[in-house]
Amino acid sequence: MEHRELMVRAAWLYHVEGLTQQQIAERMNVTRRRVNEILSEALETGVVRISFDSVLAESVELEAKLRQRFGLKDAVVVPSPSDPALIHSVLGRGAAGFLGRLIQTQKPASIGVGWGSTLRETIHHMLSLNEPQIKVRSMMGGLTHGSEINTFEIVRGFAQVLNAQCRYFAAPIYAESAESRDAIISQAVFQQTFKQICEVDVAYLSVGDVSQQSLQVRYGLPEGMSEKILQKAGAVGDLMGRYLNAAGKEIDHPLNRQVLSPEMEDFRRIGCRIVASGGAHKHRILHAVAQSGLVNVLITDADSARALLAAR
Amino acid sequence: MEHRELMVRAAWLYHVEGLTQQQIAERMNVTRRRVNEILSEALETGVVRISFDSVLAESVELEAKLRQRFGLKDAVVVPSPSDPALIHSVLGRGAAGFLGRLIQTQKPASIGVGWGSTLRETIHHMLSLNEPQIKVRSMMGGLTHGSEINTFEIVRGFAQVLNAQCRYFAAPIYAESAESRDAIISQAVFQQTFKQICEVDVAYLSVGDVSQQSLQVRYGLPEGMSEKILQKAGAVGDLMGRYLNAAGKEIDHPLNRQVLSPEMEDFRRIGCRIVASGGAHKHRILHAVAQSGLVNVLITDADSARALLAAR
DNA sequence: ACATCGATGTAACATATGTAACGTAACCCA
DNA sequence: TGGGTTACGTTACATATGTTACATCGATGT
């Protein structure tokens, strides 16, 4: 029996039929210890899912307020976890629900994605769908630093959970110079790629702050560049590697001319621009992208929503 | 705080944040005992749901075989529980998933429903949807015997979980005589009702057997009528109160002329005719409705599916 | 006013689950 | 072939959960 099948069977017996782990062990001819491990793994891998058929009144209210305040098409507010380590997971849960519904009801032809922990968690929480006509593509270059939150893994993860087509953007997030960037994107293959990125039906991204908490700050910035320099130039965070000030405008800094991602004016033409992010360190960049209209669907946690609404 | 809200909060802390019941008790200023009760209730009422992001290979195979063998538009096979008391619940779970997807993707304008335990469980397992343009209506008369599986409760239950419109069929399942039935349905209000029933986009029903296990046999049959009489007349079960033989044809019996439900030839014109039922005592009637084409979507358990496929 | 009933707190207990410790077998690689 | 690593069985233990027993309180009905 395939391992996934084993997980489903054990989990069904436990959650639906209400058997104890010992009873399941006897039924399936394994040890109780194995059953315990299988059940944990089933929850961990998303084979078994816990969901809620109700939303908190507080979230509903905050969502309405966010939509109104920032002119959003939609908003999703998830409860803020007391353990900050859980922020990506709860955001991913909320985003997965939203994306799943959007995909099933609106059938987008193409989805552009960013990368990072929140996106990783979104994949984890999504229900498998069968959408072979959908193209999932990276919206920007990626880290050379390999990890499962890297752009390649994220695109592939989404493509797999959706059974969709996978389109990589095979470039780093930053070129060595503005001239180098211009040389790269002047090539026909990249022209085509940028054109397609700008034409996606849905963009699903996260944002980064300007601190050592940001993976991009840690692994993506060119030599000699630091968060201090970016902050000094007025940066409060980044969207697709473009550092923005509090008003949501790109800071006047050479780095923003080295970035391999769509121009903001092109990005704004995408119909559905989703940003999922949260936590205290993201409040400033979230406010920037919401206030400036860069994002028209915001997925965040309750504390962040309140902070956004309280900001002048 | 509203009770449902209390359940969601406690369940979130337990299932998402991973707190123990004692920790939750302290957080919410209640006793651990209350937390334990709330968590149980959340699962029981469907506020919290366990779902599976994978299907068993066996089910997939059986579904394909059922579709092919009986010319079905679709089939759903759920694992057969070892405890027969769970049959309604597991069928309801499978049916809820199917119906939820169908409603979201195909947006039917109207749904006709039957009544019984399986339908009761379907409601229980469905996710709340917001479909105010959908009309949910009874497809047949109901029991005078009050219970939550009664036609009125079922229609209302579906209407509530879908936030849809509710249309009752205010009549008993059987009239006193064929003449009485004809007199009833000749009235304009019932003519209108029957017309609308026959025009639903989706019919979702269960079937009954001819034994004391059937609630209809126990509470719905007129005076002097028994399962023995019906069996002797060739009945293997009923669909919408119409007793059918093994070939899926109505038995030649006066009872079938007293019944307040659509004629079978009218029923066949409904585009999506779903029957959910299972268990050993239902095999004969399931085979009858599948073989005869009365049903074009079948939801059943694995053992029943195998029995249906093995029948000549 | 009194009796009854249901909800719930408190405390205890039974059982189920999660995990640690140790040993063994299987697998892989040099 | 031998050594190292991993997976897993066995056993025990810690803790978490589910449930019981009893008492109390508040609400309701007569």
Side-chain angles (χ1 to χ4, degrees):
Chain A
M1 199 187 311
E2 185 217 338
H3 187 62
R4 194 175 180 92
E5 186 99 350
L6 196 69
M7 282 197 282
V8 176
R9 285 197 187 276
W12 176 274
L13 293 173
Y14 187 72
H15 292 292
V16 176
E17 301 207 27
L19 302 190
T20 64
Q21 298 184 349
Q22 182 58 43
Q23 288 170 327
I24 296 168
E26 285 155 8
R27 275 279 282 279
M28 298 176 67
N29 285 307
V30 294
T31 59
R32 180 181 76 82
R33 174 194 175 144
R34 289 282 293 127
V35 173
N36 182 267
E37 283 171 350
I38 289 170
L39 293 178
S40 296
E41 191 183 348
L43 274 168
E44 204 171 289
T45 56
V47 169
V48 176
R49 294 147 177 280
I50 310 282
S51 58
F52 301 81
D53 185 43
S54 203
V55 291
L56 294 168
E58 175 195 47
S59 293
V60 174
E61 187 184 341
L62 289 171
E63 286 164 9
K65 285 181 179 172
L66 286 178
R67 285 195 294 268
Q68 185 183 40
R69 168 70 183 278
F70 298 110
L72 303 171
K73 287 175 58 173
D74 223 332
V76 175
V77 174
V78 296
S80 302
S82 48
D83 177 2
L86 293 175
I87 189 70
H88 298 301
S89 176
V90 298
L91 286 171
R93 177 188 280 268
F98 181 82
L99 264 179
R101 291 189 296 275
L102 181 149
I103 287 164
Q104 283 185 288
T105 57
Q106 296 185 27
K107 301 283 181 182
S110 55
I111 304 177
V113 296
W115 46 259
S117 299
T118 297
L119 271 78
R120 173 74 250 166
E121 286 296 322
T122 306
I123 296 164
H124 172 79
H125 283 282
M126 287 196 69
L127 279 179
S128 299
L129 295 175
N130 186 32
E131 306 287 345
Q133 79 290 346
I134 295 187
K135 293 184 185 63
V136 181
R137 62 176 71 251
S138 295
M139 294 215 53
M140 61 211 217
L143 297 181
T144 50
H145 192 90
S147 103
E148 65 167 15
I149 63 168
N150 190 294
T151 181
F152 307 112
E153 303 299 332
I154 299 292
V155 177
R156 192 177 65 175
F158 273 111
Q160 280 180 338
V161 78
L162 300 177
N163 193 26
Q165 301 170 45
C166 190
R167 299 284 184 270
Y168 299 111
F169 183 173
I173 180 70
Y174 296 116
E176 286 181 354
S177 64
E179 291 74 35
S180 178
R181 176 212 182 254
D182 292 343
I184 293 172
I185 66 168
S186 66
Q187 294 179 41
V189 60
F190 285 110
Q191 295 262 6
Q192 176 78 344
T193 296
F194 267 97
K195 182 173 187 292
Q196 283 161 347
I197 285 171
C198 297
E199 289 173 349
V200 294
D201 299 313
V202 176
Y204 177 52
L205 304 165
S206 191
V207 287
D209 64 315
V210 201
S211 77
Q212 282 292 316
Q213 280 193 75
S214 161
L215 282 159
Q216 180 157 277
V217 168
R218 266 187 280 160
Y219 301 121
L221 298 184
E223 281 279 352
M225 189 59 45
S226 77
E227 70 272 18
K228 293 283 168 58
I229 297 173
L230 295 170
Q231 288 167 3
K232 198 162 183 125
V236 297
D238 82 283
L239 175 67
M240 297 187 291
R242 292 177 182 273
Y243 283 89
L244 312 180
N245 64 18
K249 301 286 185 183
E250 297 189 52
I251 58 169
D252 184 11
H253 191 281
L255 190 65
N256 277 344
R257 292 189 283 278
Q258 292 163 242
V259 68
L260 290 159
S261 70
E263 300 292 337
M264 287 303 177
E265 65 206 43
D266 292 327
F267 176 70
R268 282 178 187 273
R269 280 194 272 268
I270 293 168
C272 183
R273 309 183 297 281
I274 308 165
V275 163
S277 192
H281 56 300
K282 301 283 182 75
H283 290 176
R284 294 180 78 200
I285 183 62
L286 281 174
H287 189 265
V289 295
Q291 184 65 29
S292 61
L294 281 167
V295 53
N296 60 8
V297 178
L298 182 62
I299 296 165
T300 194
D301 65 292
D303 287 348
S304 301
R306 274 188 289 267
L308 292 188
L309 293 166
R312 66 163 196 85
Chain B
M1 200 189 310
E2 186 219 336
H3 187 64
R4 194 175 181 91
E5 186 99 352
L6 196 70
M7 281 199 280
V8 176
R9 283 195 188 281
W12 177 274
L13 293 173
Y14 188 73
H15 292 294
V16 178
E17 300 207 27
L19 301 191
T20 63
Q21 298 185 351
Q22 183 57 42
Q23 288 169 328
I24 296 166
E26 286 156 7
R27 277 276 284 276
M28 298 176 67
N29 285 305
V30 294
T31 59
R32 179 179 78 80
R33 175 193 176 148
R34 288 284 291 127
V35 172
N36 181 267
E37 283 171 352
I38 289 171
L39 293 178
S40 295
E41 191 183 348
L43 273 168
E44 204 173 289
T45 56
V47 170
V48 176
R49 294 147 178 280
I50 310 282
S51 58
F52 301 82
D53 185 41
S54 202
V55 293
L56 294 168
E58 173 194 50
S59 295
V60 174
E61 186 184 341
L62 288 171
E63 287 164 6
K65 285 182 179 171
L66 286 178
R67 286 194 293 270
Q68 186 185 33
R69 168 71 184 277
F70 297 109
L72 303 171
K73 287 176 55 171
D74 223 333
V76 175
V77 175
V78 296
S80 303
S82 48
D83 177 3
L86 293 175
I87 190 70
H88 299 300
S89 177
V90 298
L91 286 170
R93 177 186 280 267
F98 181 84
L99 264 179
R101 291 189 297 273
L102 181 149
I103 288 165
Q104 283 184 288
T105 57
Q106 296 184 29
K107 301 282 180 181
S110 55
I111 305 178
V113 296
W115 48 261
S117 299
T118 298
L119 272 77
R120 174 72 250 165
E121 288 294 322
T122 307
I123 295 164
H124 174 79
H125 283 283
M126 286 196 72
L127 281 177
S128 300
L129 295 176
N130 185 33
E131 305 286 346
Q133 78 290 345
I134 295 187
K135 295 183 182 66
V136 180
R137 62 177 70 248
S138 295
M139 295 216 51
M140 61 209 219
L143 297 180
T144 50
H145 192 90
S147 102
E148 67 167 13
I149 62 168
N150 190 294
T151 181
F152 307 112
E153 303 299 333
I154 298 293
V155 177
R156 194 178 64 174
F158 273 110
Q160 279 181 339
V161 78
L162 299 178
N163 193 28
Q165 300 170 47
C166 189
R167 299 285 186 269
Y168 299 111
F169 183 174
I173 181 70
Y174 296 115
E176 289 181 353
S177 64
E179 292 76 35
S180 180
R181 178 214 181 251
D182 292 343
I184 290 171
I185 67 169
S186 67
Q187 294 181 44
V189 61
F190 285 109
Q191 296 262 3
Q192 177 78 345
T193 296
F194 267 96
K195 181 172 187 294
Q196 282 162 349
I197 285 171
C198 297
E199 289 174 349
V200 293
D201 300 313
V202 175
Y204 177 52
L205 304 165
S206 190
V207 287
D209 63 317
V210 201
S211 76
Q212 280 293 316
Q213 281 194 74
S214 160
L215 282 158
Q216 181 154 280
V217 166
R218 266 187 280 162
Y219 302 121
L221 298 184
E223 282 279 353
M225 190 58 46
S226 78
E227 70 274 16
K228 292 282 168 62
I229 297 174
L230 295 168
Q231 286 166 2
K232 197 163 181 119
V236 299
D238 83 281
L239 175 67
M240 296 184 293
R242 292 175 182 273
Y243 282 88
L244 311 179
N245 65 18
K249 302 284 186 183
E250 296 191 51
I251 58 170
D252 184 11
H253 191 280
L255 191 65
N256 276 342
R257 290 189 285 278
Q258 293 164 237
V259 68
L260 291 157
S261 70
E263 301 292 336
M264 288 301 176
E265 69 206 39
D266 293 326
F267 176 69
R268 282 179 187 271
R269 279 195 271 271
I270 293 167
C272 181
R273 308 183 298 281
I274 309 166
V275 162
S277 191
H281 56 301
K282 300 283 181 75
H283 291 176
R284 294 179 77 200
I285 182 63
L286 280 173
H287 189 263
V289 294
Q291 184 67 27
S292 62
L294 281 168
V295 54
N296 61 8
V297 177
L298 181 63
I299 297 164
T300 193
D301 66 292
D303 288 349
S304 301
R306 273 189 289 266
L308 292 187
L309 292 166
R312 65 161 196 90

